[in-house]
Amino acid sequence: MDFRYVVCDVFTDRPLTGNQLAVFTDARAIPEPMLPLLAREMSFSETVFVYQPIAGGHARIRIFTPGTELPFAGHPVLGAAFVLGAPLQLETVVLETGTGLVPVALQREGPRIVFGRMTQPIPKVEPVPEAAAILAALGVARAALPVERYVNGPRHVMVNVETQDQVAKLTPDFAALARVTADGVSCFAGSGRRWKTRMFAPGHGINEDPATGSAAGPLACHLMRHGRIASDEEIEIAQGAEIGRPSTLFAQASGTPDQIERVEVGGGAVTVARGEFRLPT
């Protein structure tokens, strides 16, 4: 059995930075039980498996972490759009995900794709009864904004700490955090257009994620809902430096604090490797 894949670095324009992603460009022949095993073998934050479309998109994708399947995730969608958009020569690639159709608008310089912008599912906002235990596991005394959960497929808890330096110095108790919540926990600080974030998801087998596109949209929503940015104001998010994978994400939310109408997240990606698994039948 031969299964080909592409590796790209997402939310960056420089190879060997950003968030790594493996894309199996034709997964039709891969047996179902092998999908999580291949994702675990790759050992990236996420691995994408591509199938023929069935719901009006250009391709259908399934997304796996080393421990579970996700209905939607940001850097896998963006990276898959870069990988598939190159041969398709489309201005917009529409991907079928577990949360529905996700369009990704692609910008090119000549034949090369240099930027992609996805329209994300609008997240649902929920309270976080376990907020105090999450803060304790993070080693954070208090949050500067209400701690809230955003659900757009994945589940992200938003924790605003006081300064970007405090974000950089966080040393969570990962075992305690995994006991308290299976959600990703996004810790952030900043002002105006520029924000710094770190994402911890030990419950998914990922202690720290280099770039979390599915949390970038909710971050813009959270900031808009609590009056830190205006509707349609784009923010630039720095993530991943603490684990040697610096990443840059762009996000904006449109609407009102009571009614979010549109969420967009963008960034770059670069292909760094191609390979194949050759497994005995």
Side-chain angles (χ1 to χ4, degrees), residues 220 224 229-234 252-257 259 261-262:
M224 187 189 74
I229 62 172
S231 174
D232 293 318
E233 183 177 355
E234 185 177 71
Q252 63 187 74
S254 304
T256 68
Q259 184 65 51
E261 298 174 353
R262 185 178 178 88

Side-chain angles (χ1 to χ4, degrees), residues 138-204:
L138 292 170
V140 174
R142 59 177 296 274
L145 290 176
V147 177
E148 294 175 316
R149 177 180 290 110
Y150 288 74
V151 183
N152 59 2
R155 298 159 61 88
H156 299 293
V157 174
M158 293 290 159
V159 177
N160 182 197
V161 300
E162 296 291 344
T163 67
Q164 294 192 27
D165 185 61
Q166 186 179 359
V167 174
K169 291 180 178 178
L170 287 171
T171 55
D173 181 335
F174 292 119
L177 193 58
R179 287 194 299 269
V180 171
T181 181
D183 300 343
V185 179
S186 180
C187 303
F188 64 94
S191 62
R193 185 170 180 264
R194 297 187 182 278
W195 296 80
K196 177 180 178 64
T197 186
R198 294 175 70 188
M199 167 60 72
F200 307 112
H204 287 293

